[in-house]
mmCIF file of all heavy atoms in Angstrom:
data_model
loop_
_atom_site.group_PDB
_atom_site.id
_atom_site.type_symbol
_atom_site.label_atom_id
_atom_site.label_comp_id
_atom_site.label_asym_id
_atom_site.label_seq_id
_atom_site.Cartn_x
_atom_site.Cartn_y
_atom_site.Cartn_z
ATOM 1 N N VAL O 63 154.680 143.478 107.891
ATOM 2 C CA VAL O 63 153.978 144.613 108.475
ATOM 3 C C VAL O 63 153.204 144.124 109.683
ATOM 4 O O VAL O 63 152.360 143.223 109.573
ATOM 5 C CB VAL O 63 153.017 145.270 107.461
ATOM 6 C CG1 VAL O 63 152.286 146.440 108.117
ATOM 7 C CG2 VAL O 63 153.777 145.740 106.229
ATOM 8 N N VAL O 64 153.501 144.705 110.835
ATOM 9 C CA VAL O 64 152.781 144.378 112.066
ATOM 10 C C VAL O 64 151.986 145.612 112.470
ATOM 11 O O VAL O 64 152.571 146.657 112.759
ATOM 12 C CB VAL O 64 153.743 143.969 113.200
ATOM 13 C CG1 VAL O 64 152.950 143.587 114.448
ATOM 14 C CG2 VAL O 64 154.628 142.808 112.756
ATOM 15 N N VAL O 65 150.675 145.498 112.469
ATOM 16 C CA VAL O 65 149.802 146.628 112.782
ATOM 17 C C VAL O 65 149.262 146.460 114.195
ATOM 18 O O VAL O 65 148.601 145.457 114.506
ATOM 19 C CB VAL O 65 148.641 146.735 111.783
ATOM 20 C CG1 VAL O 65 147.753 147.927 112.118
ATOM 21 C CG2 VAL O 65 149.168 146.840 110.361
ATOM 22 N N LEU O 66 149.543 147.443 115.044
ATOM 23 C CA LEU O 66 149.006 147.454 116.406
ATOM 24 C C LEU O 66 147.826 148.402 116.444
ATOM 25 O O LEU O 66 147.984 149.608 116.245
ATOM 26 C CB LEU O 66 150.078 147.906 117.398
ATOM 27 C CG LEU O 66 151.280 146.966 117.572
ATOM 28 C CD1 LEU O 66 152.315 147.613 118.488
ATOM 29 C CD2 LEU O 66 150.849 145.627 118.134
ATOM 30 N N ALA O 67 146.634 147.884 116.670
ATOM 31 C CA ALA O 67 145.423 148.706 116.735
ATOM 32 C C ALA O 67 144.910 148.698 118.171
ATOM 33 O O ALA O 67 144.570 147.638 118.714
ATOM 34 C CB ALA O 67 144.362 148.175 115.788
ATOM 35 N N ARG O 68 144.870 149.861 118.781
ATOM 36 C CA ARG O 68 144.437 149.954 120.175
ATOM 37 C C ARG O 68 142.915 149.942 120.280
ATOM 38 O O ARG O 68 142.233 150.725 119.638
ATOM 39 C CB ARG O 68 144.973 151.244 120.800
ATOM 40 C CG ARG O 68 146.484 151.360 120.753
ATOM 41 C CD ARG O 68 146.929 152.747 121.143
ATOM 42 N NE ARG O 68 148.337 152.955 120.839
ATOM 43 C CZ ARG O 68 148.911 154.158 120.770
ATOM 44 N NH1 ARG O 68 148.184 155.239 120.970
ATOM 45 N NH2 ARG O 68 150.191 154.258 120.497
ATOM 46 N N GLY O 69 142.411 149.071 121.106
ATOM 47 C CA GLY O 69 140.977 148.994 121.345
ATOM 48 C C GLY O 69 140.594 149.656 122.652
ATOM 49 O O GLY O 69 141.313 150.517 123.166
ATOM 50 N N ASP O 70 139.495 149.243 123.216
ATOM 51 C CA ASP O 70 138.956 149.814 124.449
ATOM 52 C C ASP O 70 139.800 149.386 125.642
ATOM 53 O O ASP O 70 139.920 148.187 125.935
ATOM 54 C CB ASP O 70 137.506 149.364 124.616
ATOM 55 C CG ASP O 70 136.812 150.030 125.798
ATOM 56 O OD1 ASP O 70 137.463 150.835 126.505
ATOM 57 O OD2 ASP O 70 135.616 149.735 126.025
ATOM 58 N N ARG O 71 140.366 150.362 126.344
ATOM 59 C CA ARG O 71 141.175 150.056 127.527
ATOM 60 C C ARG O 71 140.327 149.496 128.672
ATOM 61 O O ARG O 71 140.844 148.832 129.572
ATOM 62 C CB ARG O 71 141.912 151.310 128.003
ATOM 63 C CG ARG O 71 142.969 151.825 127.033
ATOM 64 C CD ARG O 71 143.593 153.124 127.533
ATOM 65 N NE ARG O 71 144.526 153.682 126.577
ATOM 66 C CZ ARG O 71 145.836 153.411 126.550
ATOM 67 N NH1 ARG O 71 146.341 152.588 127.459
ATOM 68 N NH2 ARG O 71 146.618 153.953 125.636
ATOM 69 N N GLU O 72 139.037 149.819 128.660
ATOM 70 C CA GLU O 72 138.159 149.381 129.742
ATOM 71 C C GLU O 72 137.560 148.009 129.484
ATOM 72 O O GLU O 72 136.896 147.433 130.355
ATOM 73 C CB GLU O 72 137.034 150.401 129.931
ATOM 74 C CG GLU O 72 137.508 151.830 130.203
ATOM 75 C CD GLU O 72 138.398 151.920 131.443
ATOM 76 O OE1 GLU O 72 138.101 151.218 132.432
ATOM 77 O OE2 GLU O 72 139.380 152.682 131.403
ATOM 78 N N ALA O 73 137.768 147.481 128.297
ATOM 79 C CA ALA O 73 137.203 146.169 127.958
ATOM 80 C C ALA O 73 138.022 145.054 128.598
ATOM 81 O O ALA O 73 139.109 145.279 129.140
ATOM 82 C CB ALA O 73 137.172 145.997 126.444
ATOM 83 N N ALA O 74 137.490 143.847 128.531
ATOM 84 C CA ALA O 74 138.231 142.695 129.043
ATOM 85 C C ALA O 74 139.509 142.513 128.224
ATOM 86 O O ALA O 74 139.511 142.658 127.005
ATOM 87 C CB ALA O 74 137.362 141.444 128.957
ATOM 88 N N THR O 75 140.592 142.206 128.908
ATOM 89 C CA THR O 75 141.887 142.059 128.239
ATOM 90 C C THR O 75 141.842 140.924 127.215
ATOM 91 O O THR O 75 141.381 139.816 127.518
ATOM 92 C CB THR O 75 142.989 141.790 129.269
ATOM 93 O OG1 THR O 75 143.075 142.897 130.163
ATOM 94 C CG2 THR O 75 144.335 141.584 128.578
ATOM 95 N N GLY O 76 142.298 141.228 126.019
ATOM 96 C CA GLY O 76 142.284 140.202 124.985
ATOM 97 C C GLY O 76 142.982 140.660 123.722
ATOM 98 O O GLY O 76 143.356 141.826 123.587
ATOM 99 N N LEU O 77 143.146 139.729 122.786
ATOM 100 C CA LEU O 77 143.834 140.006 121.532
ATOM 101 C C LEU O 77 143.074 139.357 120.381
ATOM 102 O O LEU O 77 142.780 138.160 120.409
ATOM 103 C CB LEU O 77 145.260 139.439 121.582
ATOM 104 C CG LEU O 77 146.049 139.407 120.269
ATOM 105 C CD1 LEU O 77 146.337 140.827 119.790
ATOM 106 C CD2 LEU O 77 147.348 138.624 120.445
ATOM 107 N N ASP O 78 142.732 140.158 119.387
ATOM 108 C CA ASP O 78 142.168 139.648 118.136
ATOM 109 C C ASP O 78 143.219 139.848 117.051
ATOM 110 O O ASP O 78 143.779 140.943 116.925
ATOM 111 C CB ASP O 78 140.891 140.399 117.756
ATOM 112 C CG ASP O 78 139.788 140.209 118.786
ATOM 113 O OD1 ASP O 78 139.743 139.133 119.401
ATOM 114 O OD2 ASP O 78 138.991 141.152 118.981
ATOM 115 N N ALA O 79 143.491 138.831 116.288
ATOM 116 C CA ALA O 79 144.543 138.911 115.264
ATOM 117 C C ALA O 79 143.982 138.597 113.889
ATOM 118 O O ALA O 79 142.944 137.947 113.734
ATOM 119 C CB ALA O 79 145.678 137.954 115.593
ATOM 120 N N GLN O 80 144.690 139.087 112.899
ATOM 121 C CA GLN O 80 144.349 138.804 111.508
ATOM 122 C C GLN O 80 145.648 138.715 110.718
ATOM 123 O O GLN O 80 146.526 139.574 110.849
ATOM 124 C CB GLN O 80 143.458 139.906 110.938
ATOM 125 C CG GLN O 80 142.951 139.632 109.537
ATOM 126 C CD GLN O 80 142.085 140.772 109.014
ATOM 127 O OE1 GLN O 80 142.604 141.792 108.572
ATOM 128 N NE2 GLN O 80 140.773 140.603 109.074
ATOM 129 N N ILE O 81 145.772 137.685 109.903
ATOM 130 C CA ILE O 81 146.959 137.491 109.076
ATOM 131 C C ILE O 81 146.553 137.665 107.617
ATOM 132 O O ILE O 81 145.575 137.062 107.161
ATOM 133 C CB ILE O 81 147.569 136.093 109.281
ATOM 134 C CG1 ILE O 81 147.938 135.877 110.751
ATOM 135 C CG2 ILE O 81 148.792 135.903 108.396
ATOM 136 C CD1 ILE O 81 148.385 134.452 111.066
ATOM 137 N N ARG O 82 147.309 138.483 106.896
ATOM 138 C CA ARG O 82 147.037 138.692 105.471
ATOM 139 C C ARG O 82 148.298 138.362 104.678
ATOM 140 O O ARG O 82 149.372 138.897 104.962
ATOM 141 C CB ARG O 82 146.637 140.154 105.207
ATOM 142 C CG ARG O 82 145.449 140.627 106.025
ATOM 143 C CD ARG O 82 145.060 142.049 105.646
ATOM 144 N NE ARG O 82 144.035 142.590 106.528
ATOM 145 C CZ ARG O 82 143.438 143.773 106.352
ATOM 146 N NH1 ARG O 82 143.770 144.530 105.300
ATOM 147 N NH2 ARG O 82 142.527 144.190 107.191
ATOM 148 N N VAL O 83 148.147 137.518 103.703
ATOM 149 C CA VAL O 83 149.280 137.145 102.853
ATOM 150 C C VAL O 83 148.805 137.097 101.410
ATOM 151 O O VAL O 83 147.604 137.122 101.130
ATOM 152 C CB VAL O 83 149.875 135.776 103.265
ATOM 153 C CG1 VAL O 83 150.515 135.845 104.636
ATOM 154 C CG2 VAL O 83 148.788 134.693 103.246
ATOM 155 N N GLY O 84 149.747 137.019 100.485
ATOM 156 C CA GLY O 84 149.395 136.947 99.075
ATOM 157 C C GLY O 84 148.867 138.265 98.556
ATOM 158 O O GLY O 84 149.365 139.340 98.918
ATOM 159 N N GLY O 85 147.841 138.222 97.721
ATOM 160 C CA GLY O 85 147.317 139.421 97.084
ATOM 161 C C GLY O 85 146.726 140.421 98.052
ATOM 162 O O GLY O 85 146.568 141.592 97.718
ATOM 163 N N ASP O 86 146.399 140.003 99.264
ATOM 164 C CA ASP O 86 145.831 140.912 100.257
ATOM 165 C C ASP O 86 146.904 141.648 101.050
ATOM 166 O O ASP O 86 146.577 142.416 101.948
ATOM 167 C CB ASP O 86 144.937 140.138 101.238
ATOM 168 C CG ASP O 86 143.720 139.554 100.559
ATOM 169 O OD1 ASP O 86 142.884 140.347 100.093
ATOM 170 O OD2 ASP O 86 143.618 138.314 100.481
ATOM 171 N N ALA O 87 148.164 141.417 100.719
ATOM 172 C CA ALA O 87 149.240 142.028 101.499
ATOM 173 C C ALA O 87 150.328 142.636 100.633
ATOM 174 O O ALA O 87 151.433 142.879 101.117
ATOM 175 C CB ALA O 87 149.852 140.980 102.430
ATOM 176 N N GLY O 88 150.059 142.913 99.364
ATOM 177 C CA GLY O 88 151.089 143.510 98.517
ATOM 178 C C GLY O 88 152.298 142.586 98.444
ATOM 179 O O GLY O 88 152.177 141.388 98.238
ATOM 180 N N ALA O 89 153.472 143.154 98.651
ATOM 181 C CA ALA O 89 154.693 142.351 98.700
ATOM 182 C C ALA O 89 155.110 142.104 100.141
ATOM 183 O O ALA O 89 156.262 141.803 100.426
ATOM 184 C CB ALA O 89 155.819 143.070 97.945
ATOM 185 N N ALA O 90 154.153 142.251 101.047
ATOM 186 C CA ALA O 90 154.426 142.062 102.465
ATOM 187 C C ALA O 90 153.575 140.918 102.984
ATOM 188 O O ALA O 90 152.783 140.318 102.261
ATOM 189 C CB ALA O 90 154.096 143.343 103.243
ATOM 190 N N GLU O 91 153.770 140.596 104.244
ATOM 191 C CA GLU O 91 152.791 139.795 104.967
ATOM 192 C C GLU O 91 152.347 140.681 106.121
ATOM 193 O O GLU O 91 153.165 141.305 106.799
ATOM 194 C CB GLU O 91 153.397 138.478 105.447
ATOM 195 C CG GLU O 91 154.627 138.608 106.334
ATOM 196 C CD GLU O 91 155.183 137.236 106.712
ATOM 197 O OE1 GLU O 91 154.673 136.234 106.189
ATOM 198 O OE2 GLU O 91 156.123 137.182 107.517
ATOM 199 N N VAL O 92 151.058 140.789 106.304
ATOM 200 C CA VAL O 92 150.503 141.735 107.262
ATOM 201 C C VAL O 92 149.896 140.990 108.439
ATOM 202 O O VAL O 92 149.095 140.051 108.243
ATOM 203 C CB VAL O 92 149.429 142.629 106.605
ATOM 204 C CG1 VAL O 92 148.838 143.598 107.619
ATOM 205 C CG2 VAL O 92 150.019 143.385 105.419
ATOM 206 N N ILE O 93 150.277 141.406 109.632
ATOM 207 C CA ILE O 93 149.714 140.843 110.857
ATOM 208 C C ILE O 93 149.042 141.986 111.608
ATOM 209 O O ILE O 93 149.712 142.946 112.032
ATOM 210 C CB ILE O 93 150.804 140.211 111.742
ATOM 211 C CG1 ILE O 93 151.589 139.167 110.942
ATOM 212 C CG2 ILE O 93 150.193 139.592 112.991
ATOM 213 C CD1 ILE O 93 152.875 138.728 111.610
ATOM 214 N N VAL O 94 147.731 141.922 111.728
ATOM 215 C CA VAL O 94 146.981 142.957 112.424
ATOM 216 C C VAL O 94 146.665 142.449 113.823
ATOM 217 O O VAL O 94 146.042 141.386 113.984
ATOM 218 C CB VAL O 94 145.675 143.305 111.677
ATOM 219 C CG1 VAL O 94 144.959 144.454 112.384
ATOM 220 C CG2 VAL O 94 145.971 143.672 110.231
ATOM 221 N N LEU O 95 147.078 143.208 114.827
ATOM 222 C CA LEU O 95 146.867 142.827 116.221
ATOM 223 C C LEU O 95 145.995 143.887 116.891
ATOM 224 O O LEU O 95 146.421 145.032 117.055
ATOM 225 C CB LEU O 95 148.213 142.709 116.947
ATOM 226 C CG LEU O 95 149.238 141.757 116.312
ATOM 227 C CD1 LEU O 95 150.594 141.896 117.001
ATOM 228 C CD2 LEU O 95 148.747 140.314 116.367
ATOM 229 N N ARG O 96 144.784 143.514 117.244
ATOM 230 C CA ARG O 96 143.866 144.449 117.901
ATOM 231 C C ARG O 96 143.879 144.165 119.397
ATOM 232 O O ARG O 96 143.462 143.087 119.843
ATOM 233 C CB ARG O 96 142.464 144.324 117.298
ATOM 234 C CG ARG O 96 142.417 144.749 115.832
ATOM 235 C CD ARG O 96 141.004 144.682 115.247
ATOM 236 N NE ARG O 96 140.959 145.316 113.934
ATOM 237 C CZ ARG O 96 141.203 144.696 112.791
ATOM 238 N NH1 ARG O 96 141.514 143.412 112.812
ATOM 239 N NH2 ARG O 96 141.150 145.342 111.638
ATOM 240 N N LEU O 97 144.343 145.145 120.152
ATOM 241 C CA LEU O 97 144.547 144.969 121.587
ATOM 242 C C LEU O 97 143.377 145.537 122.375
ATOM 243 O O LEU O 97 142.839 146.593 122.053
ATOM 244 C CB LEU O 97 145.843 145.668 122.016
ATOM 245 C CG LEU O 97 147.065 145.487 121.106
ATOM 246 C CD1 LEU O 97 148.258 146.222 121.674
ATOM 247 C CD2 LEU O 97 147.376 144.012 120.939
ATOM 248 N N ARG O 98 143.008 144.856 123.448
ATOM 249 C CA ARG O 98 141.938 145.324 124.323
ATOM 250 C C ARG O 98 142.388 145.265 125.773
ATOM 251 O O ARG O 98 143.234 144.455 126.156
ATOM 252 C CB ARG O 98 140.676 144.461 124.170
ATOM 253 C CG ARG O 98 140.149 144.315 122.769
ATOM 254 C CD ARG O 98 138.788 143.585 122.769
ATOM 255 N NE ARG O 98 138.841 142.327 123.490
ATOM 256 C CZ ARG O 98 139.205 141.161 122.950
ATOM 257 N NH1 ARG O 98 139.582 141.122 121.692
ATOM 258 N NH2 ARG O 98 139.206 140.056 123.675
ATOM 259 N N GLY O 99 141.787 146.141 126.581
ATOM 260 C CA GLY O 99 142.027 146.103 128.014
ATOM 261 C C GLY O 99 143.464 146.415 128.385
ATOM 262 O O GLY O 99 144.120 147.269 127.782
ATOM 263 N N GLU O 100 143.990 145.723 129.373
ATOM 264 C CA GLU O 100 145.332 145.981 129.882
ATOM 265 C C GLU O 100 146.405 145.769 128.826
ATOM 266 O O GLU O 100 147.493 146.352 128.897
ATOM 267 C CB GLU O 100 145.599 145.065 131.087
ATOM 268 C CG GLU O 100 146.936 145.284 131.778
ATOM 269 C CD GLU O 100 147.100 146.685 132.352
ATOM 270 O OE1 GLU O 100 146.075 147.332 132.676
ATOM 271 O OE2 GLU O 100 148.260 147.128 132.496
ATOM 272 N N LEU O 101 146.103 144.975 127.811
ATOM 273 C CA LEU O 101 147.085 144.684 126.770
ATOM 274 C C LEU O 101 147.482 145.941 125.993
ATOM 275 O O LEU O 101 148.576 146.001 125.422
ATOM 276 C CB LEU O 101 146.509 143.639 125.810
ATOM 277 C CG LEU O 101 147.486 142.653 125.147
ATOM 278 C CD1 LEU O 101 148.308 141.927 126.194
ATOM 279 C CD2 LEU O 101 146.729 141.671 124.286
ATOM 280 N N VAL O 102 146.605 146.947 125.975
ATOM 281 C CA VAL O 102 146.907 148.194 125.274
ATOM 282 C C VAL O 102 148.143 148.863 125.863
ATOM 283 O O VAL O 102 148.886 149.561 125.156
ATOM 284 C CB VAL O 102 145.687 149.150 125.340
ATOM 285 C CG1 VAL O 102 146.021 150.502 124.718
ATOM 286 C CG2 VAL O 102 144.491 148.529 124.632
ATOM 287 N N ASN O 103 148.398 148.633 127.142
ATOM 288 C CA ASN O 103 149.552 149.245 127.812
ATOM 289 C C ASN O 103 150.831 148.429 127.651
ATOM 290 O O ASN O 103 151.863 148.787 128.222
ATOM 291 C CB ASN O 103 149.251 149.419 129.307
ATOM 292 C CG ASN O 103 148.038 150.303 129.547
ATOM 293 O OD1 ASN O 103 147.861 151.315 128.873
ATOM 294 N ND2 ASN O 103 147.198 149.922 130.511
ATOM 295 N N HIS O 104 150.769 147.349 126.901
ATOM 296 C CA HIS O 104 151.946 146.486 126.746
ATOM 297 C C HIS O 104 152.183 146.169 125.272
ATOM 298 O O HIS O 104 152.393 145.007 124.891
ATOM 299 C CB HIS O 104 151.767 145.200 127.560
ATOM 300 C CG HIS O 104 151.558 145.434 129.022
ATOM 301 N ND1 HIS O 104 152.595 145.699 129.893
ATOM 302 C CD2 HIS O 104 150.413 145.486 129.763
ATOM 303 C CE1 HIS O 104 152.116 145.876 131.112
ATOM 304 N NE2 HIS O 104 150.799 145.764 131.069
ATOM 305 N N GLU O 105 152.175 147.199 124.457
ATOM 306 C CA GLU O 105 152.318 147.014 123.011
ATOM 307 C C GLU O 105 153.638 146.346 122.636
ATOM 308 O O GLU O 105 153.678 145.474 121.762
ATOM 309 C CB GLU O 105 152.200 148.362 122.302
ATOM 310 C CG GLU O 105 150.827 148.981 122.344
ATOM 311 C CD GLU O 105 150.783 150.329 121.664
ATOM 312 O OE1 GLU O 105 151.729 151.121 121.859
ATOM 313 O OE2 GLU O 105 149.818 150.596 120.931
ATOM 314 N N SER O 106 154.722 146.761 123.274
ATOM 315 C CA SER O 106 156.030 146.221 122.903
ATOM 316 C C SER O 106 156.110 144.720 123.172
ATOM 317 O O SER O 106 156.689 143.959 122.385
ATOM 318 C CB SER O 106 157.142 146.953 123.656
ATOM 319 O OG SER O 106 156.990 146.806 125.056
ATOM 320 N N SER O 107 155.510 144.269 124.271
ATOM 321 C CA SER O 107 155.534 142.837 124.586
ATOM 322 C C SER O 107 154.768 142.032 123.547
ATOM 323 O O SER O 107 155.138 140.895 123.230
ATOM 324 C CB SER O 107 154.926 142.602 125.975
ATOM 325 O OG SER O 107 155.660 143.264 126.978
ATOM 326 N N VAL O 108 153.705 142.629 123.011
ATOM 327 C CA VAL O 108 152.898 141.937 122.006
ATOM 328 C C VAL O 108 153.628 141.860 120.671
ATOM 329 O O VAL O 108 153.556 140.849 119.961
ATOM 330 C CB VAL O 108 151.540 142.656 121.831
ATOM 331 C CG1 VAL O 108 150.736 142.014 120.706
ATOM 332 C CG2 VAL O 108 150.746 142.612 123.124
ATOM 333 N N VAL O 109 154.360 142.921 120.309
ATOM 334 C CA VAL O 109 154.958 142.984 118.980
ATOM 335 C C VAL O 109 156.277 142.219 118.875
ATOM 336 O O VAL O 109 156.627 141.728 117.785
ATOM 337 C CB VAL O 109 155.169 144.460 118.563
ATOM 338 C CG1 VAL O 109 156.377 145.079 119.243
ATOM 339 C CG2 VAL O 109 155.316 144.578 117.057
ATOM 340 N N ILE O 110 157.010 142.073 119.960
ATOM 341 C CA ILE O 110 158.342 141.453 119.905
ATOM 342 C C ILE O 110 158.344 140.068 119.254
ATOM 343 O O ILE O 110 159.231 139.766 118.436
ATOM 344 C CB ILE O 110 158.971 141.408 121.316
ATOM 345 C CG1 ILE O 110 159.455 142.807 121.720
ATOM 346 C CG2 ILE O 110 160.132 140.423 121.378
ATOM 347 C CD1 ILE O 110 159.981 142.906 123.140
ATOM 348 N N PRO O 111 157.378 139.196 119.540
ATOM 349 C CA PRO O 111 157.432 137.862 118.908
ATOM 350 C C PRO O 111 157.312 137.877 117.380
ATOM 351 O O PRO O 111 157.626 136.876 116.733
ATOM 352 C CB PRO O 111 156.216 137.143 119.524
ATOM 353 C CG PRO O 111 155.942 137.864 120.798
ATOM 354 C CD PRO O 111 156.288 139.294 120.532
ATOM 355 N N PHE O 112 156.887 138.997 116.820
ATOM 356 C CA PHE O 112 156.656 139.056 115.370
ATOM 357 C C PHE O 112 157.758 139.803 114.612
ATOM 358 O O PHE O 112 157.666 139.960 113.396
ATOM 359 C CB PHE O 112 155.305 139.712 115.088
ATOM 360 C CG PHE O 112 154.159 138.991 115.727
ATOM 361 C CD1 PHE O 112 153.584 139.470 116.896
ATOM 362 C CD2 PHE O 112 153.680 137.815 115.189
ATOM 363 C CE1 PHE O 112 152.535 138.797 117.501
ATOM 364 C CE2 PHE O 112 152.628 137.133 115.790
ATOM 365 C CZ PHE O 112 152.053 137.627 116.952
#
Side-chain angles (χ1 to χ4, degrees):
V63 179
V64 182
V65 181
L66 294 175
R68 302 169 192 163
D70 186 359
R71 294 176 184 269
E72 304 302 321
T75 299
L77 169 66
D78 297 328
Q80 185 181 79
I81 302 173
R82 304 184 187 186
V83 293
D86 295 295
E91 57 182 6
V92 179
I93 305 166
V94 184
L95 305 171
R96 295 183 170 88
L97 317 181
R98 306 187 307 273
E100 184 61 26
L101 212 55
V102 175
N103 300 319
H104 301 280
E105 291 178 318
S106 60
S107 299
V108 175
V109 77
I110 285 175
F112 301 102

